[in-house]
Amino acid sequence: MGDAPTSREHLLIAFYQDNSRLLEAREKFPQLDISTVKLEFGAPIPSELARKATYIVTLNNLPKVEDAENIKLIHFISAGLDHSLHNPIFKETAIPLTSSSGIHGPPIAEWTVMNWLVASRKYAHAYENQKEHQWRKDVDKHFESIHDQVGKKVGILGYGSIGRQIGRVAHALGMTVHAYTASPRPTPSSRRDTGFIVPGTGDAEGTIPVSWHHGTDKESIHKFLSLGFDHLVIALPLTPQTTRFIGAEEFALLSANALPKHPKPYITNISRGKVLDQDALIASLESGELGGAALDVTDPEPLPADHPLWDAPNVQISPHVSSLGVEYFSRTLDIFKENLGRLQKGENLINEFQRGKGY
Amino acid sequence: MGDAPTSREHLLIAFYQDNSRLLEAREKFPQLDISTVKLEFGAPIPSELARKATYIVTLNNLPKVEDAENIKLIHFISAGLDHSLHNPIFKETAIPLTSSSGIHGPPIAEWTVMNWLVASRKYAHAYENQKEHQWRKDVDKHFESIHDQVGKKVGILGYGSIGRQIGRVAHALGMTVHAYTASPRPTPSSRRDTGFIVPGTGDAEGTIPVSWHHGTDKESIHKFLSLGFDHLVIALPLTPQTTRFIGAEEFALLSANALPKHPKPYITNISRGKVLDQDALIASLESGELGGAALDVTDPEPLPADHPLWDAPNVQISPHVSSLGVEYFSRTLDIFKENLGRLQKGENLINEFQRGKGY
């Protein structure tokens, strides 16, 4: 009675920025004691804090192995864990490790569709005209140059949680979706999304694409790019195999196969800058081989002020922010919440890192 | 044999602009003789042309009644026929008259969703930063102020072909859709869209809304606006009843019922400027009662350069162009094609004007 120590479990939130956004954890987990610590990017968690913790939510602040005995689960607030794979916690412990894969679909799909529509509907004209207080209703120009997305074809390289939400919205716009993955997905179960899905979004069963394609070799990707796309979305992870995967030859193929009366193909890159041959992209935009590009990622980042990509024709650039937003932390905590329940019931965790496979 | 006159039917296309875009009719209707005439807006079709015609496709150039004996169908390339209702063809003949209602959904839905995302993701920052070649990755600002649309609620006033396509895309984005119509829609069949639907778009069965509401009185609309919307879309026809239907009181209700932690409500008007009390809108934007507005229509049009609406906070204005695009004429001809087939089979026409009802 009274001041006896509680046996409540303890959640430690360790992050390099102000933690206040994560404090909604208090509302989501009233059964847990919660403390936060602000640590430099990648710095280890001090022993006295780590030893009190039952659970850790972090970007890349990890405990030392000798402090981790009582820790039942470490949840990462990033989708990939590549920044921490070298840490002994990965190799020398069996603590379950979970990622936030799956929460990036909605904001990145919104960023993608926004850029498509800003480009296709020439939003910059309306924006500039409004700044000048000018009502410029050029009916003929609209009839000649504003295309909508109905009946347009999008090829999505990498049909994971992000590609699926893009596919979902594209389908609603009246487009046809064609999926490309590294490994074959011939059966309904192989097409299922088994990771975390933000409720009300995505393509859980993989039923949206009208065709599925696969391969890691040039021949396979070239066959895919010859299908006649209006849009190519690059949502691949960056690996040695995907570095500069899409370059001059691929842009030429896309362009040569563009459908009659359709605008030239539009590239969307929400992966990593190095997946593209950026110089080849600039050349294809300048020659008109491509109709435009939306790039949330560049090579290098930050893109230097004197880089020619800034002024390439019909390119729209943002500074690697497409996944960020108010809802981010709430969703990463939703995954932790789901796994807390599964852990207590002894069920398989969602988004769990497979130590054997390395992802 | 030889030079005997053909018995081919004759399609006359009469329009106030250059007709070249309509000449794809030649591809769609190889069985018809086709001629075009450029006439002033509303001018009658000259007798010698009208008398040769079996079918007319027009915006608002009509034959005189005495020249219309052989005409089997007149197809209008606008959604509403209000510009021509006074014409004797409507009252003194029984010629089937069809509208292009239904083709505006995709472009207007794209315009709407583009504006939502441009506003929610603060696209103007990215646009201005790119113009300055500045990579300004302000992570904290994004985490604090960029909301996505998942779990947001949209109320759609007027759930016709345009409202339905907006609803379809909103649903794909993860939003919940609430429909409002003038008359009650209690049964599945009453919720069906019986007009022309651009293939691959819309909500034919009316299954997307999670709730349906109706009424033309203040009490009904106020009950609807109290549901706690993030977005209100105005897609009503302008009638005496809907003139200034949404004003200060309605904006206050929307704002008072905004959900906790959500941005203040955002207004989208793709109907007519006069459906809103525009001064009240400006006041609500200035006070922060509303979060923003996308307006394709204003009062008056064109909006004068010195009008305060241009600079109202978080307003995005375009010059009544949201429905226009390359695909417009092709789709209006698709409706005519569908009806040509129905006419020959003696079936009910799609989008037929009901002389008794006046629409």
Side-chain angles (χ1 to χ4, degrees), chain A residues 64-127:
Chain A
K64 283 168 258 171
V65 170
E66 60 268 29
D67 297 333
E69 261 179 46
N70 297 322
I71 294 172
K72 294 183 182 173
L73 174 64
I74 300 176
H75 177 62
F76 289 85
I77 62 182
S78 58
L81 306 187
D82 43 305
H83 45 65
S84 300
L85 291 181
H86 63 278
N87 190 289
I89 285 288
F90 277 69
K91 294 214 168 134
E92 298 171 25
T93 81
I95 300 170
L97 309 168
T98 55
S99 80
S100 291
S101 174
I103 71 171
H104 297 70
I108 297 184
E110 292 185 15
W111 180 92
T112 297
V113 171
M114 175 191 76
N115 276 288
W116 290 356
L117 298 178
V118 159
S120 65
R121 302 198 63 80
K122 305 190 190 302
Y123 172 73
H125 288 306
Y127 173 80

Side-chain angles (χ1 to χ4, degrees), chain B residues 172-190:
Chain B
L173 289 168
M175 302 169 80
T176 57
V177 175
H178 301 259
Y180 192 94
T181 54
S183 51
R185 307 285 182 106
T187 61
S189 74
S190 69

Side-chain angles (χ1 to χ4, degrees), chain B residues 114-351:
Chain B
M114 175 192 75
N115 276 287
W116 291 355
L117 299 178
V118 159
S120 65
R121 303 198 63 82
K122 303 190 192 303
Y123 173 73
H125 288 305
Y127 173 79
E128 296 289 357
N129 287 340
Q130 184 177 347
K131 281 208 286 192
E132 295 171 19
H133 294 197
Q134 289 302 311
W135 184 273
R136 292 198 182 95
K137 179 173 179 152
D138 190 334
V139 170
D140 271 329
K141 216 178 201 169
H142 276 82
F143 281 138
E144 277 155 24
S145 66
I146 305 294
H147 282 269
D148 61 50
Q149 306 297 330
V150 179
K152 302 296 191 291
K153 283 169 74 175
V154 56
I156 303 181
L157 291 178
Y159 201 65
S161 59
I162 297 168
R164 285 167 195 255
Q165 179 58 10
I166 293 172
R168 179 186 173 95
V169 182
H171 175 74
L173 289 168
M175 302 169 80
T176 57
V177 175
H178 301 259
Y180 192 94
T181 54
S183 51
R185 307 285 182 106
T187 61
S189 74
S190 69
R191 293 177 179 178
R192 215 164 271 158
D193 184 352
T194 56
F196 179 78
I197 302 175
V198 176
T201 73
D203 179 19
E205 299 299 321
T207 52
I208 287 174
V210 296
S211 73
W212 288 75
H213 309 262
H214 69 276
T216 51
D217 56 306
K218 279 279 177 189
E219 197 189 332
S220 302
I221 186 77
H222 285 183
K223 219 170 124 189
F224 182 65
L225 298 178
S226 304
L227 290 176
F229 291 129
D230 299 282
H231 281 282
L232 181 71
V233 174
I234 304 170
L236 299 165
L238 181 67
T239 66
Q241 282 165 326
T242 63
T243 301
R244 306 213 193 290
F245 193 48
I246 306 292
E249 211 181 338
E250 289 69 34
F251 297 137
L253 258 180
L254 276 169
S255 186
N257 289 284
L259 298 171
K261 296 190 191 174
H262 284 226
K264 282 292 187 183
Y266 191 91
I267 307 294
T268 302
N269 189 6
I270 41 88
S271 158
R272 290 292 181 266
K274 286 191 202 305
V275 169
L276 285 179
D277 179 339
Q278 199 168 268
D279 292 337
L281 175 68
I282 295 173
S284 292
L285 290 166
E286 283 176 348
S287 72
E289 195 170 53
L290 293 175
L295 309 172
D296 188 44
V297 289
T298 61
D299 179 24
E301 291 180 13
L303 192 67
D306 61 356
H307 198 286
L309 185 63
W310 287 113
D311 290 325
N314 303 311
V315 74
Q316 293 165 205
I317 298 172
S318 64
H320 206 150
V321 293
S322 62
S323 72
L324 308 182
V326 175
E327 292 85 1
Y328 191 102
F329 292 98
S330 176
R331 289 193 189 128
T332 197
L333 291 174
D334 286 342
I335 299 179
F336 173 64
K337 186 173 186 176
E338 169 73 23
N339 279 332
L340 207 57
R342 290 179 176 224
L343 204 63
Q344 280 156 1
K345 285 182 272 179
E347 295 174 357
N348 285 336
L349 301 185
I350 206 163
N351 281 2

